[in-house]
Amino acid sequence: MTSASGGAIATIDPSTEEVWTAVATADAADVDRAVAAARAAMDGAWGRRTSPSQRGALLARLADLVRRDARALAEIESRDNGKPLKDTLGEVQRAADWLTFFGGAADKLNGEQIPYSVDALAYTRHEPVGVVAAILPWNSPISLASWKLGPGLAAGNAMILKPSEYTPASMVALARLVEEAGFPAGVVNVLPGDGSVGALLAAHPGVDKMSFTGSQATATRIMQSAAASLKRCSFECGGKSPFIVFADADVGKAMAIALQSAFRSTGQSCSAASRIFVERPIYEAFARELAERAQRIRVGSPFDPASHIGPQTSAQQLAKTTDYIAIGLEGGSRLLAGGKRPAHLERGYYVEPTVFADTDNRSRLAQEEIFGPVTAVMPFDDEEEAIALANDTNYGLVGGLWTADVGRAHRVAARIESGLVSVNTFRPVHYMLPYGGYKMSGIGRENGFDAMKAFTEVKTVVVDLSTAPVADPFPL
Ligand code: NAD
């Protein structure tokens, strides 16, 4: 794969800090070429002559190819973003499941017949929006690409994928599988490059929709550029997810899931349990056990099967995480575990799983997304206070509560301001479950039929059936 300018991005293996591969980087000429190719596909074979069932069959074929090459794709992903191989393998398998689901959904999105008049036939059609630019972050490129490619292609759009400059390699490999699956030329385009490539897409008059996953700051910039041509926008942004443990909960289960939700993927997850609220009677014991168990998490090479978590994906992200650890210490939070580089790892962007207690929920540590293995444990005294603390944030992606009281479970679930609330589990993510944010965590939903509808325009068609003559509206 080459770019018009011949430029390339060197991508770094975060476990060694060494360049491991280079990927061609797009410039303005490549953006124009990709938009033109996507537009031609929409105006040609893909837009006009490919039935929903044929689109579904192509997605199913792509899913099979992703399964066939799962190991190779996972190795690329681990090399690029530093997640343990077993985690990236799971993500690649799930990406195939997403593509399979949306392949099956492609011919099941029906319009409606609306009986608004006896003298007319009225119906709706779900038509593709057109050319969609899908912009990805670095934490889970293949998985998040499948969240966009699945519904976007099932609904009949042409897609331009722009991976993060930190993790472009897996999208190049995926593009080869798209070709092998037999998608017509121009239906899926991959444009590696930095934010300037995303900005060109957001401003491009030939792009009809922006489907973005990344930070809230970038979403704001995209929305500003997209406003000029009133592009459709959907945004999946960050979170500062509350994890609320009442004293009557199954504390053992809550503890295990808290550890997993705070530290898996080295905390580089939009739904990480970064604010853990614990009811006062069990607060100190919970915080201490969480810290003890966090210290036992094995940090190491993504390719060592013994590693539980790997490095941060980039030097910039490591610097951000260590800055927030300093902010926590300066702000008076009590450090119970971690806080520094693991002594046994000399190279790589590693940091220890870090647990703070007694954090002020208004502090920067509790209000700003860190995207590293850092969590803050805070006490609460009653249900009202737990809800108030959980909602006291600009974010609203995921929330969870742990309790044995069924009435409280539903009361609190109804009042948490998040797109997904889980009770006695945390952040269940599935292709059938709508996922997305309230407040600054985003606009729109991914997954499920809601996601597919968001890649369509609804057209209403009304046909007059009457035989009565129409009187002259302006008789002389
Ligand atoms: P980011 O916003 O820095 O970058 C995301 C993408 O946007 C990259 O491809 C980048 O090159 C591109 N970009 C940068 N500037 C741009 C511009 N001006 N116009 C268009 N595109 C531009 O985010 P990141 O650091 O890559 O990812 C981490 C963020 O992603 C976190 O906030 C995390 O919570 C969020 N995230 C959200 C979800 C979700 O489903 N809600 C999932 C994963 C990650």
Side-chain angles (χ1 to χ4, degrees):
M1 212 183 239
T2 51
S3 62
S5 66
I9 323 173
T11 107
I12 292 174
D13 176 342
S15 66
T16 62
E17 303 182 35
E18 280 163 17
V19 171
W20 80 276
T21 193
V23 168
T25 182
D27 62 12
D30 298 300
V31 170
D32 285 340
R33 267 201 309 167
V35 174
R39 179 64 53 204
M42 286 309 296
D43 293 341
W46 183 247
R48 296 187 183 279
R49 289 190 292 281
T50 311
S51 71
S53 302
Q54 288 168 324
R55 299 198 295 257
L58 285 166
L59 276 166
R61 172 100 182 102
L62 179 60
D64 288 344
L65 296 175
V66 168
R67 283 190 192 97
R68 183 196 70 188
D69 289 0
R71 175 89 194 180
L73 291 166
E75 280 178 8
I76 293 172
E77 201 86 309
S78 287
R79 195 64 78 188
D80 247 3
N81 76 4
K83 282 190 190 174
L85 195 54
K86 59 180 179 306
D87 290 358
T88 51
L89 207 45
E91 285 187 10
V92 173
Q93 306 281 6
R94 282 192 292 281
D97 293 344
W98 252 251
L99 296 170
T100 301
F101 171 77
F102 283 106
D107 56 9
K108 294 171 189 67
L109 186 61
N110 300 323
E112 284 183 289
Q113 188 262 316
I114 303 169
Y116 92 106
S117 161
V118 291
D119 285 327
L121 171 65
Y123 59 93
T124 55
R125 293 163 50 86
H126 286 281
E127 298 190 345
V129 176
V131 175
V132 177
I135 302 203
L136 303 171
W138 42 258
N139 61 331
S140 307
I142 288 206
S143 168
L144 296 173
S146 74
W147 291 26
K148 299 186 188 300
L149 279 183
L153 294 173
N157 299 278
M159 310 285 292
I160 301 172
L161 288 170
K162 208 298 281 173
S164 164
E165 54 273 39
Y166 296 111
T167 55
S170 60
M171 283 309 106
V172 176
L174 189 67
R176 294 203 177 96
L177 299 185
V178 166
E179 214 168 17
E180 188 179 342
F183 281 88
V187 174
V188 180
N189 307 272
V190 173
L191 285 182
D194 63 14
S196 65
V197 176
L200 286 167
L201 288 164
H204 203 294
V207 173
D208 301 299
K209 174 178 163 91
M210 301 299 295
S211 173
F212 169 79
T213 302
S215 66
Q216 170 266 320
T218 306
T220 304
R221 282 196 284 277
I222 290 175
M223 202 166 190
Q224 281 163 349
S225 310
S229 57
L230 230 57
K231 286 182 180 48
R232 280 71 185 119
C233 289
S234 60
F235 296 133
E236 289 288 329
C237 302
K240 200 68 195 177
S241 300
F243 185 107
I244 305 169
V245 188
F246 287 95
D248 64 355
D250 177 341
V251 175
K253 194 172 163 195
M255 175 68 65
I257 303 285
L259 278 161
Q260 186 198 78
S261 308
F263 300 121
R264 196 152 182 197
S265 303
T266 320
Q268 298 169 134
S269 163
C270 50
S271 56
S274 48
R275 295 185 301 146
I276 300 179
F277 299 106
V278 185
E279 201 167 5
R280 184 94 52 192
I282 60 166
Y283 169 68
E284 192 60 34
F286 191 98
R288 289 200 171 280
E289 185 179 340
L290 188 80
E292 273 164 32
R293 291 175 64 173
Q295 282 163 335
R296 284 188 249 141
I297 293 173
R298 287 193 298 271
V299 185
S301 164
F303 298 97
D304 178 349
S307 301
H308 291 132
I309 65 171
Q312 299 266 261
T313 294
S314 64
Q316 290 83 342
Q317 180 55 48
L318 177 64
K320 184 177 170 196
T321 301
T322 45
D323 281 355
Y324 275 105
I325 291 171
I327 287 166
L329 291 169
E330 283 156 19
S333 285
R334 180 159 52 112
L335 182 69
L336 293 182
K340 53 188 194 313
R341 182 186 184 83
H344 66 289
L345 294 162
E346 282 172 14
R347 286 182 73 72
Y349 307 133
Y350 293 100
V351 61
E352 291 173 338
T354 299
V355 177
F356 281 107
D358 305 345
T359 301
D360 176 352
N361 191 49
R362 291 304 310 158
S363 68
R364 287 184 63 196
L365 186 74
Q367 289 292 320
E368 296 174 15
E369 188 184 40
I370 302 172
F371 227 55
V374 179
T375 195
V377 192
M378 295 170 264
F380 67 88
D381 286 306
D382 59 28
E383 197 175 302
E384 280 304 316
E385 189 187 9
I387 294 167
L389 287 166
N391 290 341
D392 185 11
T393 166
N394 287 331
Y395 291 109
L397 190 61
V398 165
L401 67 139
W402 297 78
T403 181
D405 178 336
V406 71
R408 171 153 64 197
H410 292 287
R411 268 195 314 273
V412 177
R415 290 183 58 198
I416 291 182
E417 295 162 355
S418 302
L420 173 66
V421 178
S422 49
V423 179
N424 297 335
T425 179
F426 199 66
R427 59 169 180 183
V429 171
H430 192 272
Y431 43 76
M432 292 173 77
L433 297 174
Y435 184 85
Y438 279 33
K439 303 194 274 190
M440 300 292 262
S441 286
I443 297 179
R445 296 292 176 268
E446 297 206 302
N447 306 333
F449 272 89
D450 284 346
M452 206 171 139
K453 286 182 187 157
F455 282 94
T456 69
E457 294 284 6
V458 175
K459 177 181 281 175
T460 305
V461 180
V462 179
V463 183
D464 179 46
L465 304 178
S466 65
T467 52
V470 179
D472 185 344
F474 306 114
L476 292 173

